[in-house]
Amino acid sequence: MKRRDFIKVTGLGAAGAATLAAPAIAQSMPEIKWRMPTSWPKSLDTLFGGAEMMCKMVAEATDNKFQIQIFAAGEIVPGLQVLDAVQNGTCEIGHTASYYYFGKDPTFTFGSAVPFGPNMRINQAWYMQGGGRDVLNEFYKSYNVVSLLAGNTGCQMGGWFRKEVNTPEDLKGMKFRIGGFTGRVLQKLGVVPQQLAGGDIYPALEKGTIDAAEWVGPYDDEKLGFYKIAPHYYYPGWWEGGPMLLAFVNLDKWNALPKYYQSVLEQAGHYANNYMMARYDTANPLALKKLLAGGTKLHAFSPSIMDACYKAAKELHAEVGATNANFKKVHDSLAKFTSDGYAWFQVAEVGYDIFMARRSQS
């Protein structure tokens, strides 16, 4: 049979052939447009850039059928009201840090990081494989949202101070920009915590409204210019060993999504998460070197300050857990996982360090 006769018999013309060529899944995908407010200024190309990357991956994976328009802090809502905008349906999805909303319930702190909590690897292992996502989403459900992993900054720095702090006494009365639950830990030591969005920190530091401020790490901190006002840079950020960033999705909008789109959103969040970690690991060492060359004075928190903060953190965890069932439930889930997880990571990492030391000597 000649080719044109075959086409006549089967009823396939150019339009029919084009229909067959298009993937069936592409034909069935609805066109959806969402809005994503974030807690980040556009100048922070790691935090805001990670959220941008998530939106980009969603569009590419759906042939632009599912588009998410991203907004910097303040463009739709202030940076610390992203959860509220998603919860009430003003926007469908938001990119933020869970612990910003600890004022609603201290349990929100576990979606980012807890003082003296796990490092980045163990935090994410708990969320992804250790039941963390399930127990957190059970809690978030009462706020009409579901969470997706969408970033991690790695271990953070301890912040910028106008003057040196050597003992717990030096912290008393200090107005310190510090995010989330950690502020309540430091209150026990006489600190006056201030929760400010990233773009509001420099003006407050410049005007003297605050005496010290922490944000993330060298790369972002340099961009925000804190070194110009507060020359003393401290480490470690014991309150954020590996803080997760989440995409909160309105629960009704999530449930209405096709399963394929749900999967795309989740995988795009994982891509953004890996992208952000790689960006920070690449940029932070170079930024720290530049800051030190420019006169920044790097200090470790003293043992007396670390001991006092650790004691205050343990006390606060016990106090809140005694009266807040949600907090205790999530705390116990993380505690059980880390009691097993830390043992494994310590064995693995110490073993690797021994191997590398021997290798360098050979």
Side-chain angles (χ1 to χ4, degrees):
M1 180 182 292
K2 294 180 180 180
R3 180 176 178 273
R4 65 170 171 265
D5 293 333
F6 174 78
I7 291 175
K8 289 179 181 178
V9 171
T10 58
L12 282 176
T19 302
L20 282 181
I25 192 166
Q27 297 177 51
S28 63
M29 290 191 297
E31 292 191 6
I32 295 177
K33 292 184 178 181
W34 280 8
R35 298 192 302 168
M36 175 193 275
T38 72
S39 294
W40 331 117
K42 289 182 179 179
S43 60
L44 298 181
D45 59 354
T46 42
L47 294 167
F48 188 80
E52 278 187 312
M53 185 61 66
M54 182 177 183
C55 298
K56 181 175 181 286
M57 292 297 103
V58 169
E60 290 185 358
T62 61
D63 196 25
N64 288 316
K65 293 291 185 68
F66 188 1
Q67 296 184 26
I68 302 175
Q69 185 178 6
I70 186 171
F71 296 88
E75 290 185 335
I76 293 183
V77 294
L80 301 183
Q81 294 179 21
V82 171
L83 171 65
D84 304 81
V86 177
Q87 180 183 356
N88 64 31
T90 300
C91 299
E92 297 83 3
I93 185 172
H95 195 277
T96 187
S98 179
Y99 63 13
Y100 286 162
Y101 311 100
F102 83 103
K104 299 177 183 292
D105 189 312
T107 310
F108 274 101
T109 194
F110 292 103
S112 293
V114 290
F116 296 100
N119 62 19
M120 175 176 65
R121 292 171 65 191
I122 298 179
N123 215 14
Q124 294 190 168
W126 169 68
Y127 182 91
M128 295 174 63
Q129 299 289 326
R133 177 179 177 177
D134 291 339
V135 73
L136 282 173
N137 279 340
E138 182 181 344
F139 165 68
Y140 292 142
K141 187 176 181 180
S142 62
Y143 292 86
N144 197 37
V145 297
V146 62
S147 71
L148 300 174
L149 190 64
N152 197 304
T153 69
C155 186
Q156 297 193 3
M157 294 291 284
W160 299 85
F161 294 74
R162 291 178 178 273
K163 60 182 182 180
E164 290 188 46
V165 289
N166 298 306
T167 70
E169 290 294 318
D170 295 333
L171 298 174
K172 289 185 177 179
M174 178 177 288
K175 292 172 290 185
F176 187 15
R177 186 278 169 194
I178 183 78
F181 190 67
T182 307
R184 292 184 58 184
V185 174
L186 289 172
Q187 273 184 311
K188 286 180 168 287
L189 303 180
V191 171
V192 182
Q194 308 287 317
Q195 181 152 287
L196 301 171
D200 298 328
I201 300 173
Y202 184 90
L205 199 59
E206 184 178 37
K207 294 175 183 177
T209 307
I210 55 177
D211 305 306
E214 63 81 37
W215 179 242
V216 175
Y219 183 68
D220 284 350
D221 291 0
E222 183 196 14
K223 281 181 172 291
L224 293 176
F226 304 143
Y227 64 92
K228 299 175 184 177
I229 303 169
H232 301 283
Y233 200 20
Y234 278 83
Y235 70 92
W238 46 264
W239 45 87
E240 297 186 78
M244 299 180 292
L245 301 177
L246 300 176
F248 283 131
V249 184
N250 179 277
L251 192 57
D252 296 329
K253 295 295 184 179
W254 171 259
N255 289 333
L257 277 182
K259 293 296 183 183
Y260 176 68
Y261 280 6
Q262 289 182 351
S263 179
V264 165
L265 260 182
E266 183 175 1
Q267 296 309 313
H270 285 301
Y271 186 92
N273 180 62
N274 292 334
Y275 167 84
M276 189 181 295
M277 290 189 292
R279 284 281 293 152
Y280 274 120
D281 284 346
T282 301
N284 273 332
L286 298 175
L288 181 58
K289 184 177 181 179
K290 183 178 177 182
L291 285 167
L292 295 178
T296 292
K297 300 172 184 178
L298 186 65
H299 309 274
F301 284 125
S302 67
S304 63
I305 287 179
M306 292 295 287
D307 289 344
C309 291
Y310 180 74
K311 179 181 178 182
K314 299 298 284 186
E315 288 177 355
L316 187 60
H317 287 172
E319 291 167 8
V320 177
T323 59
N324 187 316
N326 289 324
F327 186 94
K328 186 177 187 307
K329 183 173 183 177
V330 181
H331 175 277
D332 290 350
S333 170
L334 179 59
K336 181 180 185 304
F337 183 79
T338 53
S339 66
D340 299 328
Y342 272 128
W344 156 247
F345 280 108
Q346 286 173 348
V347 169
E349 291 175 355
V350 169
Y352 180 76
D353 290 342
I354 292 172
F355 168 77
M356 292 301 290
R358 289 175 177 172
R359 182 172 179 268
S360 65
Q361 295 169 3
S362 61

